[in-house]
Amino acid sequence: VSLIRGNQLERALDAMRTYEARVPEEATEFWNLLGQVAWELRDYGSAERGYQRFVKTPQARVSDWSRLIDLVRPQYPAQAADLAMQAYRRFGAVDQLVLALEVYGEIRDTPALSRILSGLNADALATAEQDKRFLLIRAQFNQGQKKTGLAWTDLRRALQPFPQETDVVLASLWFLIDTGRSDDLAP
């Protein structure tokens, strides 16, 4: 802590890495500091180790989970999606739900997408449906499942509050072209 206060982050990180193997899991402040200092210095391996331990604690915030997910995602996208779902369950942050769905979609884990989408209760679903990214992901999922009516419903819902958003407009246009809905495409 003295080294960090003295703006000697490299020395602080070296000291933390030296003693890391001897620090107990319950030393939450250590793991939090290791994650933060290593993140700041772009030592992503050390940051990941720190955040892996820190997010298990009650003191962890959604931003700590987000950093861990960012660190894990390039090499282990399925684990990152699982972490995002854990963060969603813990904090109720729709961004984490959307991130999990997005990553599961990228890795084409259709069973996970189906399980999550069908498992949302009415309140969670109503909240998620306020997010255009959620609607776009669900529309894409439904289109892949050959449920084009549901997909078009989601796209229209996304278009209502976001009629000028490029991603919403393009997704809608391509959907209409792909499904041959020329009557809906004309307007």
Side-chain angles (χ1 to χ4, degrees):
V1 172
S2 296
L3 291 170
I4 292 169
R5 287 184 181 150
N7 202 27
Q8 297 178 30
L9 296 182
E10 291 89 1
R11 287 185 59 205
L13 182 58
D14 287 342
M16 285 188 280
R17 283 192 302 232
T18 299
Y19 298 103
E20 180 180 349
R22 291 187 252 165
V23 176
E25 294 284 323
E26 313 82 58
T28 59
E29 190 58 35
F30 175 86
W31 299 116
N32 185 24
L33 278 176
L34 176 63
Q36 288 181 19
V37 171
W39 177 273
E40 214 41 55
L41 294 174
R42 294 190 170 108
D43 179 345
Y44 298 130
S46 296
E48 183 180 335
R49 289 191 308 276
Y51 283 121
Q52 283 281 8
R53 289 172 177 87
F54 184 63
V55 298
K56 296 175 186 175
T57 70
Q59 295 87 354
R61 299 174 310 256
V62 71
S63 60
D64 300 314
W65 283 82
S66 294
R67 282 187 177 179
L68 177 59
I69 292 163
D70 287 345
L71 292 165
V72 170
R73 187 176 180 178
Q75 280 191 291
Y76 307 104
Q79 182 185 3
D82 292 343
L83 286 167
M85 277 308 296
Q86 289 175 37
Y88 169 69
R89 288 184 191 109
R90 183 169 173 181
F91 299 102
V94 173
D95 284 351
Q96 297 300 323
L97 170 64
V98 170
L99 178 59
L101 293 170
E102 179 182 291
V103 175
Y104 284 131
E106 287 172 5
I107 62 174
R108 295 175 173 32
D109 190 341
T110 305
L113 284 168
S114 181
R115 184 180 67 252
I116 292 167
L117 290 171
S118 65
L120 294 173
N121 66 34
D123 291 338
L125 191 57
T127 302
E129 287 174 340
Q130 302 306 307
D131 188 301
K132 72 173 180 174
R133 297 167 306 150
F134 174 83
L135 293 170
L136 293 176
I137 291 168
R138 191 171 66 178
Q140 185 177 27
F141 172 78
N142 282 328
Q143 185 178 1
Q145 298 296 303
K146 308 290 188 233
K147 298 176 183 175
T148 56
L150 293 174
W152 181 228
T153 299
D154 280 339
L155 289 169
R156 283 186 305 195
R157 290 180 77 180
L159 277 167
Q160 288 172 356
F162 306 104
Q164 303 302 318
E165 294 281 335
T166 304
D167 54 343
V168 176
V169 172
L170 288 176
S172 300
L173 287 173
W174 280 114
F175 170 81
L176 294 172
I177 291 167
D178 288 346
T179 56
R181 292 177 177 244
S182 53
D183 292 343
D184 292 318
L185 185 59

PDB file of all heavy atoms in Angstrom, residues 101-113:
ATOM      1  N   LEU A 101     -25.330 -13.332 -23.472  1.00  0.00           N
ATOM      2  CA  LEU A 101     -26.033 -13.761 -24.686  1.00  0.00           C
ATOM      3  C   LEU A 101     -25.192 -13.508 -25.932  1.00  0.00           C
ATOM      4  O   LEU A 101     -25.143 -14.344 -26.840  1.00  0.00           O
ATOM      5  CB  LEU A 101     -27.377 -13.045 -24.796  1.00  0.00           C
ATOM      6  CG  LEU A 101     -28.422 -13.401 -23.742  1.00  0.00           C
ATOM      7  CD1 LEU A 101     -29.614 -12.459 -23.823  1.00  0.00           C
ATOM      8  CD2 LEU A 101     -28.851 -14.854 -23.867  1.00  0.00           C
ATOM      9  N   GLU A 102     -24.540 -12.369 -25.959  1.00  0.00           N
ATOM     10  CA  GLU A 102     -23.692 -12.019 -27.098  1.00  0.00           C
ATOM     11  C   GLU A 102     -22.554 -13.028 -27.272  1.00  0.00           C
ATOM     12  O   GLU A 102     -22.299 -13.513 -28.379  1.00  0.00           O
ATOM     13  CB  GLU A 102     -23.120 -10.621 -26.872  1.00  0.00           C
ATOM     14  CG  GLU A 102     -22.195 -10.113 -27.948  1.00  0.00           C
ATOM     15  CD  GLU A 102     -21.662  -8.736 -27.573  1.00  0.00           C
ATOM     16  OE1 GLU A 102     -22.451  -7.781 -27.576  1.00  0.00           O
ATOM     17  OE2 GLU A 102     -20.453  -8.639 -27.267  1.00  0.00           O
ATOM     18  N   VAL A 103     -21.880 -13.356 -26.182  1.00  0.00           N
ATOM     19  CA  VAL A 103     -20.756 -14.292 -26.258  1.00  0.00           C
ATOM     20  C   VAL A 103     -21.246 -15.689 -26.604  1.00  0.00           C
ATOM     21  O   VAL A 103     -20.656 -16.370 -27.448  1.00  0.00           O
ATOM     22  CB  VAL A 103     -19.934 -14.291 -24.951  1.00  0.00           C
ATOM     23  CG1 VAL A 103     -18.838 -15.355 -24.997  1.00  0.00           C
ATOM     24  CG2 VAL A 103     -19.325 -12.914 -24.706  1.00  0.00           C
ATOM     25  N   TYR A 104     -22.339 -16.125 -25.987  1.00  0.00           N
ATOM     26  CA  TYR A 104     -22.887 -17.443 -26.347  1.00  0.00           C
ATOM     27  C   TYR A 104     -23.263 -17.477 -27.830  1.00  0.00           C
ATOM     28  O   TYR A 104     -23.078 -18.489 -28.496  1.00  0.00           O
ATOM     29  CB  TYR A 104     -24.103 -17.797 -25.493  1.00  0.00           C
ATOM     30  CG  TYR A 104     -23.776 -18.236 -24.087  1.00  0.00           C
ATOM     31  CD1 TYR A 104     -24.438 -17.677 -23.000  1.00  0.00           C
ATOM     32  CD2 TYR A 104     -22.832 -19.228 -23.842  1.00  0.00           C
ATOM     33  CE1 TYR A 104     -24.160 -18.085 -21.704  1.00  0.00           C
ATOM     34  CE2 TYR A 104     -22.537 -19.634 -22.547  1.00  0.00           C
ATOM     35  CZ  TYR A 104     -23.208 -19.059 -21.484  1.00  0.00           C
ATOM     36  OH  TYR A 104     -22.921 -19.467 -20.207  1.00  0.00           O
ATOM     37  N   GLY A 105     -23.782 -16.369 -28.343  1.00  0.00           N
ATOM     38  CA  GLY A 105     -24.101 -16.296 -29.767  1.00  0.00           C
ATOM     39  C   GLY A 105     -22.856 -16.381 -30.628  1.00  0.00           C
ATOM     40  O   GLY A 105     -22.842 -17.065 -31.658  1.00  0.00           O
ATOM     41  N   GLU A 106     -21.792 -15.699 -30.220  1.00  0.00           N
ATOM     42  CA  GLU A 106     -20.531 -15.728 -30.977  1.00  0.00           C
ATOM     43  C   GLU A 106     -19.953 -17.134 -31.053  1.00  0.00           C
ATOM     44  O   GLU A 106     -19.391 -17.514 -32.074  1.00  0.00           O
ATOM     45  CB  GLU A 106     -19.507 -14.792 -30.335  1.00  0.00           C
ATOM     46  CG  GLU A 106     -19.790 -13.327 -30.543  1.00  0.00           C
ATOM     47  CD  GLU A 106     -18.870 -12.431 -29.728  1.00  0.00           C
ATOM     48  OE1 GLU A 106     -17.937 -12.940 -29.052  1.00  0.00           O
ATOM     49  OE2 GLU A 106     -19.093 -11.198 -29.765  1.00  0.00           O
ATOM     50  N   ILE A 107     -20.069 -17.883 -29.958  1.00  0.00           N
ATOM     51  CA  ILE A 107     -19.510 -19.238 -29.958  1.00  0.00           C
ATOM     52  C   ILE A 107     -20.549 -20.281 -30.385  1.00  0.00           C
ATOM     53  O   ILE A 107     -20.298 -21.472 -30.311  1.00  0.00           O
ATOM     54  CB  ILE A 107     -18.883 -19.609 -28.594  1.00  0.00           C
ATOM     55  CG1 ILE A 107     -19.915 -19.603 -27.465  1.00  0.00           C
ATOM     56  CG2 ILE A 107     -17.715 -18.699 -28.289  1.00  0.00           C
ATOM     57  CD1 ILE A 107     -19.383 -20.098 -26.127  1.00  0.00           C
ATOM     58  N   ARG A 108     -21.697 -19.785 -30.815  1.00  0.00           N
ATOM     59  CA  ARG A 108     -22.778 -20.621 -31.331  1.00  0.00           C
ATOM     60  C   ARG A 108     -23.250 -21.695 -30.341  1.00  0.00           C
ATOM     61  O   ARG A 108     -23.476 -22.845 -30.689  1.00  0.00           O
ATOM     62  CB  ARG A 108     -22.377 -21.270 -32.649  1.00  0.00           C
ATOM     63  CG  ARG A 108     -22.170 -20.272 -33.771  1.00  0.00           C
ATOM     64  CD  ARG A 108     -21.675 -20.933 -35.014  1.00  0.00           C
ATOM     65  NE  ARG A 108     -21.534 -20.239 -36.236  1.00  0.00           N
ATOM     66  CZ  ARG A 108     -21.232 -18.971 -36.478  1.00  0.00           C
ATOM     67  NH1 ARG A 108     -21.115 -18.143 -35.498  1.00  0.00           N
ATOM     68  NH2 ARG A 108     -21.081 -18.497 -37.692  1.00  0.00           N
ATOM     69  N   ASP A 109     -23.390 -21.272 -29.096  1.00  0.00           N
ATOM     70  CA  ASP A 109     -23.895 -22.168 -28.053  1.00  0.00           C
ATOM     71  C   ASP A 109     -25.410 -21.981 -27.963  1.00  0.00           C
ATOM     72  O   ASP A 109     -25.928 -21.327 -27.051  1.00  0.00           O
ATOM     73  CB  ASP A 109     -23.213 -21.878 -26.723  1.00  0.00           C
ATOM     74  CG  ASP A 109     -23.524 -22.926 -25.661  1.00  0.00           C
ATOM     75  OD1 ASP A 109     -24.520 -23.665 -25.816  1.00  0.00           O
ATOM     76  OD2 ASP A 109     -22.780 -22.991 -24.663  1.00  0.00           O
ATOM     77  N   THR A 110     -26.108 -22.567 -28.916  1.00  0.00           N
ATOM     78  CA  THR A 110     -27.554 -22.435 -29.003  1.00  0.00           C
ATOM     79  C   THR A 110     -28.275 -22.978 -27.769  1.00  0.00           C
ATOM     80  O   THR A 110     -29.221 -22.343 -27.292  1.00  0.00           O
ATOM     81  CB  THR A 110     -28.078 -23.107 -30.286  1.00  0.00           C
ATOM     82  OG1 THR A 110     -27.382 -22.529 -31.395  1.00  0.00           O
ATOM     83  CG2 THR A 110     -29.556 -22.898 -30.471  1.00  0.00           C
ATOM     84  N   PRO A 111     -27.833 -24.112 -27.202  1.00  0.00           N
ATOM     85  CA  PRO A 111     -28.514 -24.583 -25.987  1.00  0.00           C
ATOM     86  C   PRO A 111     -28.429 -23.575 -24.829  1.00  0.00           C
ATOM     87  O   PRO A 111     -29.408 -23.382 -24.111  1.00  0.00           O
ATOM     88  CB  PRO A 111     -27.789 -25.886 -25.644  1.00  0.00           C
ATOM     89  CG  PRO A 111     -27.233 -26.363 -26.953  1.00  0.00           C
ATOM     90  CD  PRO A 111     -26.878 -25.121 -27.707  1.00  0.00           C
ATOM     91  N   ALA A 112     -27.281 -22.930 -24.672  1.00  0.00           N
ATOM     92  CA  ALA A 112     -27.148 -21.938 -23.601  1.00  0.00           C
ATOM     93  C   ALA A 112     -28.053 -20.743 -23.872  1.00  0.00           C
ATOM     94  O   ALA A 112     -28.730 -20.251 -22.952  1.00  0.00           O
ATOM     95  CB  ALA A 112     -25.694 -21.483 -23.463  1.00  0.00           C
ATOM     96  N   LEU A 113     -28.082 -20.267 -25.106  1.00  0.00           N
ATOM     97  CA  LEU A 113     -28.975 -19.156 -25.459  1.00  0.00           C
ATOM     98  C   LEU A 113     -30.422 -19.520 -25.165  1.00  0.00           C
ATOM     99  O   LEU A 113     -31.161 -18.735 -24.571  1.00  0.00           O
ATOM    100  CB  LEU A 113     -28.820 -18.798 -26.939  1.00  0.00           C
ATOM    101  CG  LEU A 113     -27.576 -18.026 -27.328  1.00  0.00           C
ATOM    102  CD1 LEU A 113     -27.422 -18.000 -28.846  1.00  0.00           C
ATOM    103  CD2 LEU A 113     -27.631 -16.621 -26.779  1.00  0.00           C
TER     104      LEU A 113
END
